[in-house]
Amino acid sequence: MPEVNGRYIPNAKAPRVPDNEEPAAERACDFRPVDKGYTKEMAIEEANRCLNCKKPLCVDGCPVNIKIPQFIEAIRAEEFGRGLDIIREDSMLPAICGRVCPQESQCEGVCILNKKGNPIAIGQLERFLGDQPELGSTPKIAPKNGKKVAVVGSGPSGITCAGELARNGFEVTVFEAFFTGGGVLVYGIPEFRLPKAVVKREIDGLTELGVKFEYNSVVGRITTADELFEEGYDAIYIATGAGLPKFLNVPGENLPKVFFANEYLTRVNLMRANEFPEFDTPTKHGKNVVVFGGGNVAMDAVRTAKRLGAERAIIAYRRTEEEMPARRAELHQAKQEGVEVMPLVAPLEFIAGEDGNVASVRVQRCELGEPDESGRRRPVPIEGAIEEIPCDVAISAIGTNANPFAELIGGMELNKWGYIVANEETGATSNPRIWAGGDIVTGAATVILAMGAGKKAAADITEKLGA
Amino acid sequence: MSYRILEKQQYSEKVFKFRIDAPKMAAHAKAGQFLMVRANECGERVPFTFANWNADEGWVEFIFMVVGKTTQMLSSYEVGDEILDVTGPLGQPTEIDEGRWCVIGGGVGLAIANPVARQMVEAGREVHVIMGARTKDLLLLEDQFRSFLDDDHLHITTDDGSYGEQGVVTAPLERLLQEKAVDHVFCVGPVPMMKFSALTAEKYNTPIIASLNPIMVDGTGMCGCCRVEVGGETKFACVDGPDFDATQVNWADLQMRQAAYRTEEGESLKAFEEGSCSCQK
């Protein structure tokens, strides 16, 4: 540790320790994790750059206010278990959030070191600790309080809420529609960005805490809120996630080989279509793949296409790179892997080839106009600037609408778009026994926000029912 | 949770029925809904419509025809074996409006037509059933239909004339419509059968619903694989359907999307038959 007379002197002029990435040419051929994460030495070197600000902006930048300077200080002191415990006071999923949070628009985005160069790699340091869960102290488990909670959905929000409640003495059952746990963490986010083993570790941890999982259980169909209460559940936490893909609403969208990203990603991530025919679910291996969208899902889809053998994999976005909501790391890694970014285009029509499958897409070239409500500059079509891009697989990744099962579960108020109306601070809904959080409340958002909502709801459920 | 096979019945060379242990599902199943099967660790997810269920005894049944790898493998499962994952009930139940019904089932669609017609009879409706198949051997569940229908209400056609009336289901449908014997039509089967049934019913201004069977992956509205154009709008068969107004369905689209993986399905079946994949029960 750099010290003068026992006082810590940050090594702020040192460059940020680069990500520990696999070589792009090699990793783009398979699904191995792209980022191997910091070694101990790298983590300590990076931690030594932290100014340990008196008024840390990073903590405010974190949606769940993780005590970032404190855990970084613990890394400096090589007290990794203590560092992990500090994170766990605010976040239950550091191994996951360290990998998938958009740090550049949260904690790292406000780091004071941005002014002098590069911010502290907070995400990398969080992940470094999160990947060594065995070092943390064993969480205290409250004695059983005799209350039962049903958690609907095993995505980041559901598993966080379930874990907190189990530690608070509740008997918790998680209902999951798929045959395995993790929700979007397993069907949506690819192995190369978030290894399944990391998610499984979280699920296994819950099982060890006594949380029960009922897979293949679509709440709203196999049971309803009322029935769960009749069965003796005292409360329900609904975290079904975002749902139906949004349509591009252009002709040809239903042609074979035009996918919604959710289907394209689920086939590979959950059903392992990349291992067909060893695994039964097939997918389409395009040579020329165009993905519409600019978020993380679009990045995941285009990088998956590359790994399935695409010679040309294009991200087509209606604004420019600067406005893309994707994590910077994903965009940077995608480009390293040979993904082409085509800014300022909007799809007009998918055109079928002789075999009936999509063969090209007509796009409208745009330029940036005045900012819209989101503050981002609006794409404006350039008259007459229409092009045709050949493609044998096209993927739409422009977001999702509300999950239709919220209505079928019943028992609480929904807004006009079908999302559950819930208190931001507590997750409480119009039904005093139902709480909700994550994307089914906020619309598609981030893993950390979903995790935070699960944590807040667990606290409120504990306060209301725990005694 | 285990989904044990309680009963296995073989109707013809390639058509089987499984009764599986699934008490919660049985308590919530309704006519027209479906379940999804993942047979083993490397299995794909395949939808099957409920053929029957019993809430008191805690079982559900589905019928399948061997057409690809998954169904081929399933056909080798015996009583006592377990299916790894079964999810359901999924989809909207069939709405049984007041009035007289004609239920049309073609080929393996008869497995779906049977419980729908039975539910209608149980709901007090007068029901005509038209059973269609390529040939006599592929005509499923005749006895099961006869158990709740008299001769006047059961109409049978085979393409080759090996049993019943020679021809296709639209001939008896047209007669029933001419005689004003039915107020609603329900059809399920191959796309051409449903398409021409829809055209026939439309000619007589009689509402007709079709139960569609596109390829599905998640079955809960998340992925959009099963999308189908109905009345110019994109719908998801898994959550908006599987029943839709048959006169509004874009049949060409549906048929193309159903066939999208034919090559891969052949490849998968070949690997299975040659034993080059490691799949087991």
Side-chain angles (χ1 to χ4, degrees):
Chain A
M1 200 193 298
E3 276 181 45
V4 174
N5 300 331
R7 244 184 88 221
Y8 165 66
I9 306 295
N11 199 5
K13 289 207 177 115
R16 171 167 159 140
V17 177
D19 294 347
N20 191 5
E21 289 169 353
E22 293 272 5
E26 287 174 33
R27 75 189 190 226
C29 300
D30 57 37
F31 285 79
R32 78 176 82 159
V34 165
D35 186 336
K36 290 181 282 190
Y38 280 171
T39 60
K40 180 177 145 188
E41 290 69 30
M42 293 164 89
I44 293 168
E45 188 186 333
E46 181 64 13
N48 277 330
R49 295 175 62 230
C50 178
L51 299 182
N52 204 357
C53 304
K54 277 226 171 71
K55 287 186 183 160
L57 300 173
C58 51
V59 178
D60 292 333
C62 172
V64 299
N65 307 119
I66 294 173
K67 295 180 262 309
I68 293 164
Q70 281 95 318
F71 87 68
I72 293 180
E73 185 275 321
I75 293 176
R76 264 195 322 258
E78 297 188 43
E79 294 170 22
F80 304 132
R82 180 165 65 83
L84 188 59
D85 288 348
I86 292 168
I87 297 180
R88 280 179 176 168
E89 287 171 25
D90 301 291
S91 171
M92 294 321 297
L93 306 171
I96 293 170
C97 293
R99 285 175 170 84
V100 303
C101 255
Q103 285 92 6
E104 68 275 1
S105 57
Q106 300 179 354
C107 52
E108 294 182 22
V110 292
C111 174
I112 197 83
L113 286 184
N114 278 297
K115 291 188 180 150
K116 299 194 168 179
N118 283 313
I120 298 292
I122 299 168
Q124 289 287 3
L125 296 177
E126 180 189 21
R127 170 189 163 175
F128 170 75
L129 294 177
D131 279 349
Q132 308 176 75
E134 66 285 353
L135 299 182
S137 45
T138 314
K140 287 187 210 95
I141 299 174
K144 289 266 172 247
N145 63 17
K147 300 280 167 58
K148 279 172 72 177
V149 182
V151 172
V152 184
S154 69
S157 203
I159 58 177
T160 301
C161 188
E164 294 279 298
L165 289 171
R167 278 184 282 274
N168 292 348
F170 288 86
E171 191 184 317
V172 184
T173 304
V174 178
F175 294 85
E176 166 54 48
F178 273 130
F179 52 82
T180 188
V184 69
L185 305 173
V186 294
Y187 76 71
I189 303 179
E191 176 77 16
F192 57 79
R193 191 150 82 88
L194 177 62
K196 304 285 164 286
V198 173
V199 181
K200 188 171 181 296
R201 195 168 64 198
E202 300 297 337
I203 304 283
D204 290 348
L206 293 185
T207 311
E208 280 162 31
L209 273 176
V211 174
K212 280 181 246 154
F213 283 84
E214 288 211 20
Y215 294 112
N216 301 313
S217 296
V218 180
V219 177
R221 282 294 179 208
I222 198 155
T223 185
T224 60
D226 282 347
E227 284 177 280
L228 288 170
F229 291 132
E230 274 168 40
E231 280 171 40
Y233 287 96
D234 300 286
I236 301 174
Y237 180 64
I238 301 177
T240 51
L244 288 78
K246 267 187 196 150
F247 306 146
L248 290 165
N249 281 319
V250 298
E253 191 168 17
N254 293 341
L255 288 174
K257 299 203 189 182
V258 179
F259 290 85
F260 291 122
N262 274 359
E263 178 190 349
Y264 191 73
L265 292 170
T266 302
R267 282 181 181 271
V268 172
N269 296 341
L270 184 72
M271 306 308 295
R272 299 169 70 170
N274 52 316
E275 294 172 69
F276 177 87
E278 184 68 19
F279 282 73
D280 291 350
T281 306
T283 188
K284 297 298 181 185
H285 299 245
K287 287 271 171 270
N288 289 299
V289 180
V290 180
V291 180
F292 290 94
N296 289 318
V297 176
M299 291 298 156
D300 288 344
V302 78
R303 297 173 73 194
T304 297
K306 198 79 202 166
R307 284 159 173 77
L308 292 178
E311 286 160 12
R312 193 172 182 213
I314 302 171
I315 277 277
Y317 183 51
R318 57 200 187 113
R319 294 184 164 102
T320 69
E321 267 183 37
E322 205 169 301
E323 289 84 19
M324 277 187 183
R327 290 178 87 221
R328 291 296 105 173
E330 310 310 322
L331 177 62
H332 155 81
Q333 290 171 1
K335 283 161 67 177
Q336 279 183 336
E337 288 161 14
V339 166
E340 218 176 291
V341 177
M342 187 179 284
L344 295 164
V345 291
L348 293 173
E349 183 182 11
F350 295 100
I351 298 166
E354 275 174 23
D355 59 1
N357 295 313
V358 69
S360 66
V361 56
R362 270 192 334 126
V363 298
Q364 167 76 62
R365 288 271 174 194
C366 302
E367 58 192 353
L368 287 182
E370 295 300 306
D372 62 12
E373 317 83 67
S374 73
R376 293 179 301 175
R377 292 178 66 190
R378 188 195 303 271
V380 182
I382 303 170
E383 211 185 309
I386 292 173
E387 273 173 54
E388 195 167 326
I389 310 168
C391 63
D392 52 358
V393 163
I395 301 166
S396 144
I398 58 160
T400 51
N401 293 316
N403 189 317
F405 286 94
E407 191 172 1
L408 290 169
I409 294 167
M412 69 273 148
E413 192 191 330
L414 307 181
N415 69 18
K416 65 177 169 176
W417 299 283
Y419 293 102
I420 298 175
V421 178
N423 182 309
E424 235 174 76
E425 287 310 308
T426 63
T429 70
S430 62
N431 184 319
R433 290 196 290 176
I434 300 179
W435 282 256
D439 284 3
I440 189 56
V441 171
T442 56
T446 55
V447 169
I448 187 108
L449 281 173
M451 188 280 304
K455 202 163 184 299
K456 286 176 186 171
D460 198 52
I461 292 169
T462 305
E463 193 189 313
K464 301 270 161 55
L465 302 179
Chain B
M1 182 81 80
S2 88
Y3 305 94
R4 203 158 45 86
I5 298 169
L6 303 173
E7 240 180 75
K8 176 184 181 181
Q9 204 173 340
Q10 184 165 7
Y11 291 119
S12 68
E13 190 202 340
K14 292 196 160 180
V15 179
F16 297 84
K17 182 177 82 177
F18 279 165
R19 173 178 294 182
I20 55 170
D21 185 25
K24 276 181 97 175
M25 214 180 303
H28 292 86
K30 293 191 182 72
Q33 289 187 305
F34 63 92
L35 51 76
M36 288 193 85
V37 163
R38 187 177 77 127
N40 59 22
E41 280 297 339
C42 54
E44 60 183 335
R45 287 163 57 85
V46 187
F48 297 104
T49 302
F50 289 116
N52 202 354
W53 57 91
N54 185 313
D56 297 332
E57 295 174 12
W59 50 259
V60 301
E61 292 179 343
F62 66 93
I63 297 176
F64 62 94
M65 183 155 85
V66 175
V67 290
K69 188 236 170 119
T70 298
T71 44
Q72 173 100 317
M73 188 175 60
L74 277 177
S75 71
S76 73
Y77 281 51
E78 298 299 338
V79 171
D81 288 344
E82 283 174 13
I83 299 175
L84 185 61
D85 294 297
V86 184
T87 311
L90 297 169
Q92 305 286 346
T94 299
E95 281 178 34
I96 305 176
D97 288 342
E98 294 287 339
R100 298 159 303 166
W101 280 84
C102 173
V103 173
I104 308 172
V108 79
L110 284 162
I112 301 163
N114 180 267
V116 169
R118 198 191 63 236
Q119 290 261 311
M120 288 174 176
V121 169
E122 284 168 6
R125 308 283 182 275
E126 183 183 344
V127 179
H128 284 271
V129 168
I130 303 173
M131 300 175 66
R134 282 209 311 278
T135 183
K136 182 173 190 257
D137 286 347
L138 296 174
L139 197 79
L140 308 180
L141 301 170
E142 186 187 349
D143 293 344
Q144 284 75 4
F145 279 107
R146 290 201 185 278
S147 70
F148 58 85
L149 293 171
D150 60 26
D151 289 352
D152 294 341
H153 288 83
L154 192 64
H155 316 266
I156 296 172
T157 66
T158 51
D159 294 4
D160 63 359
S162 54
Y163 192 67
E165 176 180 340
Q166 186 186 356
V168 291
V169 296
T170 45
L173 174 62
E174 184 132 23
R175 284 201 301 274
L176 289 168
L177 292 167
Q178 268 167 1
E179 292 161 14
K180 298 194 188 330
V182 297
D183 307 304
H184 305 277
V185 184
F186 172 95
C187 66
V188 54
V191 163
M193 188 220 87
M194 293 193 282
K195 177 180 164 184
F196 286 101
S197 297
L199 290 171
T200 307
E202 204 173 10
K203 206 161 83 183
Y204 293 88
N205 286 320
T206 305
I208 175 165
I209 52 180
S211 175
L212 306 186
N213 53 346
I215 299 172
M216 293 185 184
V217 179
D218 82 296
T220 63
M222 182 271 284
C223 84
C225 177
C226 67
R227 66 193 186 273
V228 54
E229 191 188 310
V230 183
E233 272 180 54
T234 297
K235 298 283 184 189
F236 289 2
C238 66
V239 286
D240 300 320
D243 293 353
F244 293 101
D245 178 347
T247 65
Q248 299 298 309
V249 174
N250 182 335
W251 297 109
D253 240 41
L254 176 65
Q255 201 159 16
M256 221 157 46
R257 291 188 62 84
Q258 277 180 340
Y261 288 92
R262 205 130 293 164
T263 312
E264 290 85 353
E265 284 157 10
E267 197 184 324
S268 178
L269 182 60
K270 188 159 165 270
F272 179 63
E273 284 174 344
E274 288 170 352
S276 62
C277 81
S278 56
C279 278
Q280 288 165 11
K281 276 181 199 174

